[in-house]
Structures are given as structure tokens and as C-alpha cells.
């Protein structure tokens, strides 16, 4: 039976069909464009303008100071100290989150008993609001009634005041690692996309479990691991709510009572804004932090060129 083949004609630029498609395209993306302009670009531009003034948040006028706020921020030892704490937090939390979630995903990708139950239980903390998680862990580490000190007392150890000194950083780490289940779910999806044919071929070639993992599984899921590393780093560097809620006091005074171990960069920014009314200075801090995160992200992508493997070359246009 003869078959009929139809070949689509190329659409000419400027034709009515092209114009209709363009209008439909911009109509569909208009909500995103409007939201980006109003909620991202405008605040960024406004903060940039404020960072060049000494505005205190209540005065009707602005006094232009130029780049003085940026010079003050770069010359402030406390700024570098809080940024160093944020960097240490990221260096500790990001590897533990990515490696831990991958380990859990590998474990729960096997045929183990009650697999769905364990997947649900590990993912469940990830849906808790950050405020609820921080307050819950604050109760767990409470000096007088917390579960941690109760266990220590059972072993004959003295109670520890976890909300002061360097110990509070341990509580912050616990809060940050509490949502590791979100990464586990992403890794599970990636692991199930690994080609069984490639694994079988590697097995026939004599590759053991570790060799199959490093030569087949890891390259296949490397784009997912890069995504988690980048987003986790940005998220951890921007941590604010858990550190604030672990303060021994509540209300407006909480930000100035945050223990020194938890005075990370965003806490410092918040204090400059709302405790010291230095809006220009705090805006300069945020812009410098934005540029620092941008540099870190670019470095991640540059370093990934030889370690991340894509099934489709990301530099190509998909053959179109």
C-alpha cells in the first residue's frame, strides 16, 4: 500500500503565522516576566541605589555616599567573620547533604523490606516548614527538658547548654541536615534512569559493584549531583531563619542575641537593617554577597566541564 509523506514547509520570518506564534509565546511567559521584573529586577535595582546612600530607613531623603558603604563593608572584620561562618557552614553541610542523600538513595534503590515506608519516613522532614523544624530541634536540645541531655544523663554525663557557645553550631547543623530527604528523592529518580544495559555490559566485562558505580552510575547521575551541589550551596549560604530561631531570646531582640557561633552572614545583614537601621550599609552587604555567590556558581560550572557528563551536549541546540 502506497504511503503519503508530508513535508512541513519552513515558516517565513514576518509571516502572519510567525507573528501569531510570537504573540502566543510572549502571552504565555508574561506572568513570569512581570513577576521577575517586579519581584527580582526592581528590588535588586532599588537595593543597588540604596547601597550608594546612607539612608536609615525612616528619613525622607537620601544622602549620596557613593562606594563608601562597599569600602566600609570590605574593611569591617565582623563582616568577614560572619561570611567565614557562612562559608564553614556550607563546606560542612553541602558535602554531607549531597553524599548523605546519595547514600540513602542507593540504599533505598535496592529491594529492601518496607522500602516505600522508609522512603516516606526519610522524605517527611523535608516538607516541614523551616520554622517548625528549628523550634522542634530547639526543644530537643533544651538544657533542662531536651531529649539529648536526657540521653546524656542516662549515660551519667552532665547536662550541656546547647544554646550557648560553640555548641549552638551543632544544633544548627542538625536543623540543616534534617531535610536531607529532599535530595534523596531527586537522587532516587536519577538512579532509576541509569541504563540497565550499560550496567549489564559492565558486569559482563568483569566490573564489580564499585567499578560499575564509578564508571556507569556516577557519570550518568553527575548532572543531578551538580544541580544539588549548586542549589544546596546557594541555599546554605542564604540560611537565616534556623540561625535566628536558635537565639536564646525571641522577638525583635533575637537578632542581636544570636550566639556568636551562629552569627552567619544573613544574620549580620538582618541586624544591620532592622537593629541598627543602616539600610545603605546592609544593601551594600547584600550586593557583595550576591556577587560572591555568583562567582562561586560560575566556578562550580567551570569545574564541572570535565567531571559532569550530559547525554546531550548542553552547548548544542539539540540539533535544530
Amino acid at each position: 500500500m502506497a504511503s503519503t509523506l508530508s513535508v512541513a514547509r519552513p515558516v517565513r520570518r514576518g509571516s502572519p503565522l510567525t507573528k501569531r506564534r510570537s504573540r502566543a509565546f510572549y502571552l504565555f511567559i508574561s506572568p513570569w516576566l512581570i513577576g521577575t521584573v517586579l519581584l527580582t529586577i526592581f528590588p535588586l535595582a532599588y537595593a543597588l541605589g540604596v547601597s550608594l546612600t546612607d539612608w536609615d530607613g525612616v528619613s525622607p531623603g537620601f544622602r549620596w555616599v557613593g562606594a563608601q558603604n562597599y569600602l566600609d563593608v570590605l574593611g569591617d572584620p565582623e563582616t568577614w567573620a560572619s561570611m567565614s561562618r557562612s562559608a564553614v557552614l556550607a563546606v560542612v553541610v553541602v558535602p554531607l547533604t549531597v553524599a548523605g542523600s546519595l547514600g540513602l538513595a542507593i540504599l533505598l534503590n535496592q529491594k529492601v523490606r518496607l522500602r516505600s515506608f522508609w522512603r516516606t519516613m526519610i522524605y517527611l522532614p523535608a516538607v516541614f516548614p523551616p520554622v517548625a523544624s528549628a523550634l522542634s530541634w530547639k526543644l530537643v536540645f533544651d538544657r533542662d527538658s531536651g531529649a539529648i541531655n536526657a540521653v546524656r544523663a542516662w549515660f551519667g554525663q552532665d547536662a550541656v547548654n546547647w544554646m550557648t557557645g560553640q555548641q549552638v553550631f551543632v544544633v544548627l547543623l542538625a536543623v540543616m541536615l534534617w531535610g536531607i530527604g529532599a535530595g534523596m528523592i531527586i537522587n532516587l529518580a536519577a538512579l532509576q534512569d541509569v541504563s540497565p544495559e550499560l550496567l549489564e555490559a559492565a558486569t559482563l566485562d568483569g566490573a564489580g559493584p564499585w567499578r560499575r558505580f564509578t564508571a556507569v552510575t556516577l557519570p550518568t547521575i553527575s548532572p543531578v549531583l551538580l544541580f544539588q551541589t549548586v542549589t544546596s550551596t546557594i541555599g546554605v549560604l542564604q540560611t537565616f531563619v534556623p540561625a535566628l530561631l536558635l537565639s536564646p531570646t525571641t522577638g525583635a531582640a533575637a537578632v542581636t542575641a544570636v550566639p556568636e557561633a551562629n552569627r552567619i552572614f544573613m544574620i549580620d545583614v538582618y541586624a544591620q537593617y532592622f537593629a541598627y537601621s543602616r539600610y545603605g550599609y546592609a544593601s551594600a552587604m547584600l550586593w557583595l554577597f550576591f556577587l560572591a555567590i555568583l562567582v562561586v556558581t560560575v566556578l562550580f560550572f567551570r569545574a564541572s566541564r570535565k567531571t559532569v557528563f550530559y547525554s546531550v551536549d548542553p552547548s548544542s541546540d539539540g540539533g535544530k
Side-chain angles (χ1 to χ4, degrees), residues 104-105 107-112 114-125 181 184-185 188 192:
L104 289 171
L107 181 64
L108 294 178
N109 198 37
Q110 312 299 317
K111 294 181 179 178
V112 296
L114 300 176
R115 184 171 61 176
S116 297
F117 170 78
W118 293 118
R119 287 178 178 177
T120 304
M121 294 304 295
I122 294 174
Y123 177 69
L124 199 57
M184 181 204 68
I185 291 296
L188 264 176
Q192 291 173 9

Side-chain angles (χ1 to χ4, degrees), residues 13 37 181 202 209 235 271 284:
R13 180 174 297 178
V37 171

Side-chain angles (χ1 to χ4, degrees), residues 6 14 16 128 147 185 230 235 255 291 315 320:
S6 62
F128 279 22
I185 291 296
V230 172
V255 68
L291 294 176
S315 62
K320 296 179 180 179

Side-chain angles (χ1 to χ4, degrees), residues 38 96 106 110 153 173 183 209 225 245 248 272 279 287 290-291 303 306-307:
L38 293 180
L96 289 176
I106 293 173
Q110 312 299 317
L173 287 178
L225 296 179
L245 293 179
Q272 295 295 337
Y279 279 62
W287 258 96
F290 166 72
L291 294 176
K306 294 183 179 179
T307 56

